[in-house]
Amino acid sequence: MPLQVRVRPDKLIHTTNEPTKLGYRFKKNLNRAGTTLMQKTGQIERTVDREFADEEAKYKAFEKETNALQKESKAYLDAMRAMTAAQTRLAETIDTFYAAADKASEGAMAGHAYKRSVDELDAGVTRELDAPYRTTVFEPVGKMCSYFPIINDGIAKRNKKMLDYDASRSKVRKLVDKPSEDATKLPRAQAELDEAKEIFDMLNEQLIAELPQLLDLRVPYFDPSFEAMIRMQCKFAEEGYEKLGGVQRYFAENVRDDYAAGQLDAQVEGVLAEMKDLSICAI
């Protein structure tokens, strides 16, 4: 029995129409490229809409600033993680250094207290900064940025329809200036022009109306994120000050007084001078 292959009609139509669609798009893109070239050489008049140009320029500036904000907001979170991680590694080294010398010394106790404090700060970044920051700052900024490709597609579509409109208008003018022997050409060209103008005007007016609305919403949209970021930064700074401030009680009272009086720098310089006098430093 011969093999029978059944093809669904809708699939057949889709398959046979696909090359036609591709060919139509290719022809459209080719015509638009030709129109653009002829506009550059002054052969076809180009539509200039100052109102749209102004709104587009404002939108592009907003897009650039928001993309930069997204990049920097991620960099801030990464920097906070890197800072607390570096503090943790530093504290481990200091704790090991002092513990190896004298575990009962004030320096060893201070080193251990410092390590405990930065460990808590590092854990706090993940618990109290990372997730809330992502939810209230990073994700809202990212959500706003996700709309830009959609808006840019709308602007690109508007620009393509403008090229179609300019090309149709030029075609009508040529037929008016130099009538064709075919009396149907001008009415057909006029109908194409009317349709192209209607589509272009619709897209153009929509963008002119909605781009300013988008920009007006940027402040109320980002206000909660900005407030949340400030609150989280304040909380992190306050906790850091509180935890690290507690380490000071492990230092001798005269050390705290010398630090407050700005005399520790002189003491460090004195120790460095003694190190230079060592024969091993002169090798």
Side-chain angles (χ1 to χ4, degrees), residues 98 101 209:
Y98 277 111

Side-chain angles (χ1 to χ4, degrees), residues 15-49:
T15 303
T16 54
N17 281 350
E18 192 63 28
T20 305
K21 291 180 180 178
L22 292 175
Y24 174 78
R25 291 173 186 169
F26 177 77
K27 184 178 179 181
K28 269 286 187 182
N29 291 334
L30 190 63
N31 290 339
R32 286 165 179 161
T35 301
T36 301
L37 182 61
M38 295 178 74
Q39 285 179 335
K40 290 181 178 179
T41 58
Q43 299 179 56
I44 293 180
E45 182 182 355
R46 181 179 182 180
T47 297
V48 177
D49 189 325

